[in-house]
Amino acid sequence: MSVNLRNIALFAALAVLYLGTAMIYGWNLTLTIVNMGLISAVMALGVNMQWGYAGLFNIGIMGFVALGGLAVVLVSMPPVGEAWAAGGVRLIFGLLVGAASMVAAVLVWSKLPKGRVRGLALLAVLIVGFTLYSMVFDPAVRAVEAVNPSSTGYLGGLGLPVLLAWPAGGALAAGAAWLIGKTALGLRSDYLAIATLGISEIVLALLKNEDWLARGVKNVTGLPRPVPFEVNLQQNPAFVAWARDWGLDLATTSSIVVKLSYAGLFLVVLLALVWLVETAWRSPWGRMMRAIRDNEVSAAAMGKDVTRRHLQIFVLGSAVCGMAGAMMTTLDGQLTPGTYQPLRYTFLIWVMVVVGGSGNNWGSVLGGFLIWWLWVMVEPIGQNVLSVVTMGLADGSWLKSHLTDAAAHMRLLTMGIILLLVLRFSPRGLIPEK
Amino acid sequence: MDILNAIVALLNFVIIPGAAYGAQLALGALGVTLVYGILRFSNFAHGDTMAFGTAMTIIVTWGLLALGISFGPLPTALLALPFGIGLTALLVLGTDRLVYRFYRKVKAAPVILVMVSMGVMFVMNGITRFIIGVNEINFTDGERFIINAREFREATGLAEGLAFRTTQGITLVVAVIAVAALFWFLNRTRTGKSMRAFSDNEDLALLSGINPERVVAVTWIIVAALATTAGVLYGLDKSFKAFTYFQLLLPIFASAVVGGLGNPLGAIAGGFVIAFSEVTVTYAWKKVLTYLLPADWAPAGLVQLMGTDYKFAVSFAILVIVLLIKPTGIFKGKSL
Amino acid sequence: MAEPFLIGEGMTGGYGGADILHGCTLAVEKGEIAVIVGPNGAGKSTAMKAVFGMLKLRQGRVRLAGEDITALTPQARVMKGMGFVPQTHNIFTSMTVEENLEMGAFIRTDDYQGTLAQVYDLFPILKQKRNQPAGELSGGQRQQVAVGRALMTQPSVLMLDEPTAGVSPIVMDELFDRIIEVARTGISILMVEQNARQALEIADKGYVLVQGANRFTDTGKALLADPEVRRSFLGG
């Protein structure tokens, strides 16, 4: 970022916004917003890589974020020994059988000559493969899910330190992105959007329904944390003494300290990522990406493999989103597939990128913090505005109660209108690309 | 072996629901494909246009019922449908005026328009929720069945009952009428032909004196009619919920792409391909097979390829296969 | 001599950047054929587009039947009686031949059946294939559809951008015959041609453009006879 006054002023204004929030609502709440702001900024950074650097329109961010969340469960939860004993190996074997029959089907399709034989062979492979798969897989799933269903009923994870889940989440998201990119990149730009929309719906369907994997809508709670628990702090004599010396409330202070430690971890990741992408952007690779984005035709004519480069950046950007998803689930301490809404995890991130400034990493960071703040604050602000508007109406009148109820939906409208206004009147965003 | 019962079960659980759902998807996909053909972008706001149109129709339906007007054995919503279409047309024409027209003027890249349509999607969704709330609404009235399962069993003496709901019948009839009217309009009227010409070759259409703004306006009105009709039929058949229509976006896009984006015939074919694939893959075939196979061969499991929760995966898988093998769709896309 | 029916006079301009045309003048009389020839990149098509208003002129005027139409859009010029056949993408491929012709008549509010019959008389093959999608026709037939479409507005001037590009010599001769027939009905023809020799043979007037400016202007016959034109532009 060119250090100019305008950008400094923008970040200063952001800081004032957050400070003001702290004055009114207290540090505890403000730090909650800051933490999600940090995570949002990382997500926005990932989307900005795809959109700002390569013009790829990803409308399935939610899916990649959810995969990151899944990674936290798979990496950090302790394995459920009983479930593994009940059918874990068989389940894995079933999945392998399924994968093998898919490979066989693809081989049949690509190796056999065109004609009726190929069609019949493909059908046979699919039917046999599916039958075998369900014979092995279904009983295993039943067995695993029957193990203590109210508390486990799934295979558990690897029991590794939770911080390892962050890169793992990135890797999981990258894998999904690679599959999508392979299919839809190189075709019309709309197709990628449609395909990513599809994959994110499927990831969510998997998370909600495959109980053996991550307990589905029964949620996985009590995920390990990379920072101490508030209770532990409150029982730590040194901490108690320190708080007493400063005359601080013990409960609030412990909560703030925990949130600050999370914020520290997230900040390290965010700054490292910004540094990495900025460096990459100035490297020959970045120059090539820009050349491709600015003129695909001439870049292709110069022998650049545009589709391959697009795949690369699409996978990288999705990996960043997956990592952010893992960070978020770590912060929440639980995986709740039912709460993933495209509105929140796809659309909102887009608003951040566009408002912040497409193609500018610092813009994404600014947009992430600003829009997240708005997202949290629109509802109370909307309530206030509406209560002023409806002041003249009689209490309990139909219109008044309808309007008050509808305030909950103000977010959608506000965010949609912000996006449309920025796209229309200031398409380069708050911090334009250099 | 009991072929008759098997056929009835198949009709009851696969063919009739599949056909009704296919007709709903086809109408939705027609709207998407028209916007793509004329305005040249994938309209992500289409699902929420359907939701808005349905919400408007529901409100008018309530109004009619409050006035004591109903449609006899048919759902009152059918009487309200023209009003719903009118209100939706006003909304999309207003949206075009306020939002899309600017991007047409500056000749923005399609991907920008897709993004803009996403913004429109959320505004529309917000408006719909603001007006009608988020609760599930059942707005069908009149006769529930054309053929009742119990009466069918008594009349035929078969073990398997056949239920043909009024909403399913209406879906099929209305869809046939709507599609016939659309094709008559596109192929027989001057305005319809000018739309096809515009979709085929914009520059030449301009040279021929075809007014692009008029073509666009007519397109939006037709899209509003198709979206509202599709949304109301779907809502009558299932029920109305403000955000289920967003989830229809994927099967609708899959239908349009499978048939060839921009091709109306393809959209219809694609709608039925997707609907029947979804229904057959998520249907538990145990019942039909039990009738067909010898007694000791009867399957133990449900013989269901995939849980109904994965119906999106079916649309998606078909979409991916088409994109891999024939990205222009079954019928060649990008022409009207 | 009175002013020509259609004249683009002293036209200077280009597509945004540098000028492509430098004081170029083109004109055609009522019922005559004017042909623009010249080497590749001479600005032939650009000059024609300038006359039709598809290019912003920095200098110069375009007048049709004495009326200044410089400021009009191409669509408005169609209304004034100018027909234009682009070099490529000049038909609606997914529509039938007859629908193509109907679209040509889109701006007409009167009955165009008479014109349709005239076009079918001029191009009998089109009548035969009237219900076939135009995209399925051969190259020469497509050009006939394109010309037919432009004739449906009953223009007083028909502008053709390389009507014979990519068709066989036999088809080319036939197309030229048809163009002469069109001119005999009183329609002025202004066309750009790659096949300079054949085109000049049917031309009442020929323009040789080089680098966006007039190099030679004369009757078709005179240009064909001019040794310098022959040497430089007609391959000896």
Side-chain angles (χ1 to χ4, degrees):
Chain A
M1 180 174 67
S2 56
V3 181
N4 63 35
L5 282 176
R6 188 186 134 85
N7 295 347
I8 292 174
L10 280 170
F11 274 96
L14 186 73
V16 168
L17 195 67
Y18 273 81
L19 280 175
T21 314
M23 295 298 148
I24 298 172
Y25 294 96
W27 279 107
N28 207 347
L29 177 77
T30 308
L31 277 174
T32 312
I33 305 180
V34 166
N35 276 336
M36 274 312 294
L38 283 163
I39 290 171
S40 302
V42 175
M43 290 180 191
L45 212 55
V47 175
N48 185 43
M49 288 167 72
Q50 297 173 340
W51 170 249
Y53 289 9
L56 303 176
F57 191 47
N58 174 1
I59 199 162
I61 304 165
M62 176 182 70
F64 300 113
V65 169
L67 278 176
L70 175 64
V72 178
V73 173
L74 295 185
V75 169
S76 70
M77 285 309 272
V80 179
E82 252 182 287
W84 277 99
V89 178
R90 180 175 181 159
L91 193 149
I92 302 293
F93 181 63
L95 285 178
L96 288 178
V97 169
S101 45
M102 290 311 280
V103 171
V106 171
L107 278 181
V108 163
W109 185 257
S110 55
K111 292 280 187 269
L112 287 184
K114 231 179 174 145
R116 191 176 299 169
V117 178
R118 178 166 80 164
L120 288 176
L122 184 71
L123 200 63
V125 166
L126 285 177
I127 290 176
V128 171
F130 183 78
T131 316
L132 277 177
Y133 158 79
S134 40
M135 273 166 58
V136 179
F137 185 72
D138 291 351
V141 167
R142 274 194 297 276
V144 168
E145 290 177 359
V147 174
N148 203 358
S150 62
S151 61
T152 55
Y154 76 124
L155 288 176
L158 299 171
L160 296 171
V162 66
L163 284 184
L164 280 181
W166 297 5
L172 215 52
W178 186 83
L179 284 175
I180 289 292
K182 263 294 186 203
T183 329
L185 284 172
L187 299 171
R188 277 190 54 102
S189 50
D190 318 34
Y191 287 169
L192 181 73
I194 299 172
T196 48
L197 177 74
I199 195 77
S200 86
E201 292 291 330
I202 288 175
V203 167
L204 256 282
L206 275 172
L207 278 186
K208 283 182 189 164
N209 294 297
E210 298 305 311
D211 286 11
W212 59 269
L213 183 65
R215 303 195 70 226
V217 286
K218 290 186 287 183
N219 302 339
V220 178
T221 52
L223 292 169
R225 294 166 65 154
V227 298
F229 281 91
E230 287 85 345
V231 190
N232 297 354
L233 280 181
Q234 287 160 21
Q235 286 158 359
N236 181 327
F239 180 80
V240 174
W242 175 80
R244 192 171 337 101
D245 287 350
W246 287 84
L248 298 167
D249 174 56
L250 203 56
T252 320
T253 314
S254 63
S255 165
I256 287 178
V257 167
V258 167
K259 280 174 185 164
L260 275 176
S261 352
Y262 272 121
L265 284 172
F266 296 155
L267 192 65
V268 169
V269 172
L270 177 65
L271 291 179
L273 277 174
V274 171
W275 180 78
L276 269 174
V277 277
E278 286 279 305
T279 312
W281 201 228
R282 279 190 291 269
S283 71
W285 179 85
R287 271 203 300 283
M288 179 180 63
M289 293 307 303
R290 258 171 303 184
I292 289 176
R293 185 197 56 187
D294 295 341
N295 195 336
E296 271 184 37
V297 180
S298 73
M302 288 189 318
K304 308 273 185 250
D305 188 342
V306 174
T307 308
R308 225 182 113 85
R309 296 298 142 209
H310 277 174
L311 183 63
Q312 216 169 39
I313 197 128
F314 182 66
V315 167
L316 285 175
S318 301
V320 171
C321 288
M323 190 148 128
M327 286 156 60
M328 190 182 70
T329 304
T330 311
L331 176 67
D332 289 346
Q334 55 182 353
L335 179 67
T336 50
T339 58
Y340 285 82
Q341 299 290 337
L343 163 69
R344 159 74 183 86
Y345 293 105
T346 295
F347 177 63
L348 196 63
I349 311 299
W350 270 107
V351 179
M352 291 169 183
V353 173
V354 171
V355 170
S358 319
N360 189 307
N361 296 315
W362 291 104
S364 298
V365 174
L366 181 76
F369 275 101
L370 182 64
I371 297 300
W372 178 251
W373 183 88
L374 260 181
W375 177 254
V376 176
M377 289 301 171
V378 157
E379 217 169 303
I381 294 173
Q383 289 298 6
N384 290 338
V385 168
L386 273 174
S387 65
V388 170
V389 169
T390 55
M391 216 143 60
L393 296 168
D395 264 340
S397 81
W398 173 82
L399 188 62
K400 181 161 186 170
S401 62
H402 182 80
L403 283 176
T404 319
D405 289 347
H409 315 305
M410 291 291 276
R411 281 176 165 179
L412 278 167
L413 264 176
T414 322
M415 291 298 155
I417 288 171
I418 289 176
L419 180 74
L420 289 178
L421 286 178
V422 171
L423 277 174
R424 169 75 169 76
F425 295 106
S426 174
R428 285 158 60 74
L430 285 173
I431 306 185
E433 192 187 346
K434 289 140 282 192
Chain B
M1 277 271 270
D2 190 347
I3 291 183
L4 272 182
N5 271 321
I7 290 176
V8 171
L10 194 68
L11 267 175
N12 202 7
F13 295 108
V14 175
I15 294 180
I16 293 175
Y21 182 43
Q24 289 150 10
L25 284 187
L27 288 178
L30 272 174
V32 165
T33 231
L34 277 179
V35 172
Y36 186 87
I38 302 287
L39 291 120
R40 302 178 207 286
F41 70 94
S42 304
N43 182 13
F44 275 81
H46 196 73
D48 282 294
T49 311
M50 287 164 67
F52 179 84
T54 315
M56 290 298 113
T57 309
I58 290 175
I59 287 175
V60 176
T61 307
W62 287 344
L64 289 176
L65 288 175
L67 291 173
I69 303 170
S70 77
F71 204 5
L74 297 176
T76 315
L78 285 186
L79 280 182
L81 183 60
F83 298 97
I85 290 174
L87 291 167
T88 313
L90 286 181
L91 177 80
V92 289
L93 285 174
T95 310
D96 185 73
R97 186 68 215 273
L98 280 176
V99 183
Y100 294 124
R101 198 166 73 157
F102 167 78
Y103 298 95
R104 251 194 327 278
K105 276 227 177 83
V106 300
K107 296 195 183 345
V111 70
I112 301 281
L113 275 162
V114 173
M115 194 173 205
V116 169
S117 80
M118 191 178 69
V120 170
M121 162 169 106
F122 281 94
V123 174
M124 277 190 184
N125 192 292
I127 295 175
T128 307
R129 289 187 191 198
F130 194 85
I131 294 175
I132 205 161
V134 289
N135 298 328
E136 189 162 341
I137 298 168
N138 207 322
F139 61 103
T140 178
D141 55 0
E143 237 9 92
R144 256 176 65 66
F145 290 100
I146 296 174
I147 301 174
N148 184 311
R150 191 171 47 80
E151 285 163 14
F152 179 86
R153 266 198 301 269
E154 282 164 9
T156 57
L158 288 173
E160 198 60 36
L162 179 68
F164 188 36
R165 278 185 285 131
T166 317
T167 53
Q168 292 168 329
I170 286 173
T171 296
L172 292 173
V173 173
V174 172
V176 167
I177 294 173
V179 167
L182 176 68
F183 277 75
W184 172 82
F185 177 78
L186 288 178
N187 291 316
R188 290 279 175 271
T189 67
R190 211 170 85 100
T191 310
K193 284 179 191 175
S194 73
M195 278 173 62
R196 282 165 57 217
F198 188 85
S199 162
D200 182 315
N201 187 336
E202 190 174 335
D203 291 332
L204 196 61
L206 295 178
L207 278 185
S208 307
I210 292 170
N211 178 356
E213 289 305 310
R214 199 179 119 85
V215 167
V216 167
V218 173
T219 306
W220 279 121
I221 293 171
I222 296 174
V223 167
L226 287 168
T228 308
T229 310
V232 168
L233 292 177
Y234 184 83
L236 281 174
D237 199 17
K238 314 270 174 2
S239 70
F240 174 83
K241 226 173 167 185
F243 46 81
T244 44
Y245 289 86
F246 170 78
Q247 296 178 325
L248 276 182
L249 211 50
L250 183 63
I252 284 178
F253 269 121
S255 307
V257 173
V258 166
L261 261 178
N263 183 324
L265 259 179
I268 297 169
F272 285 100
V273 167
I274 296 287
F276 277 108
S277 315
E278 254 185 36
V279 174
T280 46
V281 170
T282 55
Y283 176 59
W285 288 89
K286 180 184 168 105
K287 197 171 212 171
V288 174
L289 288 177
T290 314
Y291 283 124
L292 284 180
L293 299 172
D296 43 341
W297 281 40
L302 288 170
V303 202
Q304 183 183 21
L305 290 175
M306 232 183 234
T308 41
D309 298 304
Y310 288 113
K311 55 181 191 210
F312 300 119
V314 180
S315 328
F316 184 72
I318 295 173
L319 180 75
V320 164
I321 291 169
V322 167
L323 287 186
L324 283 175
I325 296 174
K326 202 163 187 285
T328 49
I330 308 172
F331 297 79
K332 214 169 151 306
K334 186 59 217 38
S335 62
L336 256 170
Chain C
M1 196 174 128
E3 173 159 302
F5 182 63
L6 170 69
I7 180 163
E9 203 172 27
M11 298 183 297
T12 301
Y15 303 99
D19 287 344
I20 299 171
L21 301 177
H22 305 279
C24 173
T25 296
L26 302 169
V28 60
E29 299 287 347
K30 193 115 195 106
E32 287 195 352
I33 300 177
V35 172
I36 309 166
V37 298
N40 280 336
K44 303 186 294 283
S45 288
T46 310
M48 175 109 112
K49 285 177 178 157
V51 173
F52 193 62
M54 293 164 84
L55 185 73
K56 205 156 180 71
L57 287 181
R58 285 204 302 113
Q59 279 164 37
R61 323 279 335 153
V62 182
R63 285 191 302 277
L64 178 69
E67 183 189 350
D68 191 323
I69 57 167
T70 316
L72 295 186
T73 62
Q75 285 82 355
R77 292 178 207 220
V78 173
M79 300 285 194
K80 291 273 176 201
M82 294 173 77
F84 182 71
V85 180
Q87 185 182 344
T88 54
H89 302 293
N90 50 21
I91 54 169
F92 300 111
T93 49
S94 66
M95 302 176 82
T96 65
V97 170
E98 187 147 314
E99 285 174 336
N100 265 275
L101 300 180
E102 274 177 53
M103 284 301 111
F106 190 80
I107 54 167
R108 288 180 59 177
T109 47
D110 54 337
D111 184 22
Y112 55 79
Q113 290 305 323
T115 320
L116 192 64
Q118 282 171 15
V119 170
Y120 281 148
D121 281 347
L122 190 62
F123 303 116
I125 187 76
L126 298 189
K127 186 165 192 177
Q128 243 180 62
K129 308 213 163 193
R130 61 202 290 175
N131 291 322
Q132 212 167 320
E136 292 174 4
L137 304 184
S138 71
Q141 291 165 351
R142 281 161 169 247
Q143 291 297 354
Q144 296 184 9
V145 175
V147 173
R149 187 202 62 81
L151 287 174
M152 287 302 291
T153 50
Q154 291 186 306
S156 50
V157 184
L158 184 62
M159 306 178 54
L160 306 165
D161 193 351
E162 301 203 19
T164 64
V167 303
S168 70
I170 300 168
V171 174
M172 180 173 82
D173 285 347
E174 204 198 314
L175 269 173
F176 279 151
D177 287 348
R178 296 285 175 273
I179 290 167
I180 296 171
E181 266 183 64
V182 172
R184 289 216 183 102
T185 63
I187 298 175
S188 311
I189 307 253
L190 179 63
M191 68 175 180
V192 169
E193 256 303 332
Q194 203 60 263
N195 302 301
R197 186 185 294 273
Q198 292 88 331
L200 286 176
E201 272 167 13
I202 66 163
D204 295 297
K205 194 150 204 189
Y207 294 89
V208 181
L209 295 194
V210 177
Q211 290 180 340
N214 299 66
R215 176 67 62 85
F216 300 98
T217 307
D218 212 324
T219 62
K221 269 201 198 75
L223 286 175
L224 281 170
D226 187 325
E228 205 184 330
V229 173
R230 292 173 68 108
R231 198 172 48 247
S232 312
F233 303 106
L234 304 175

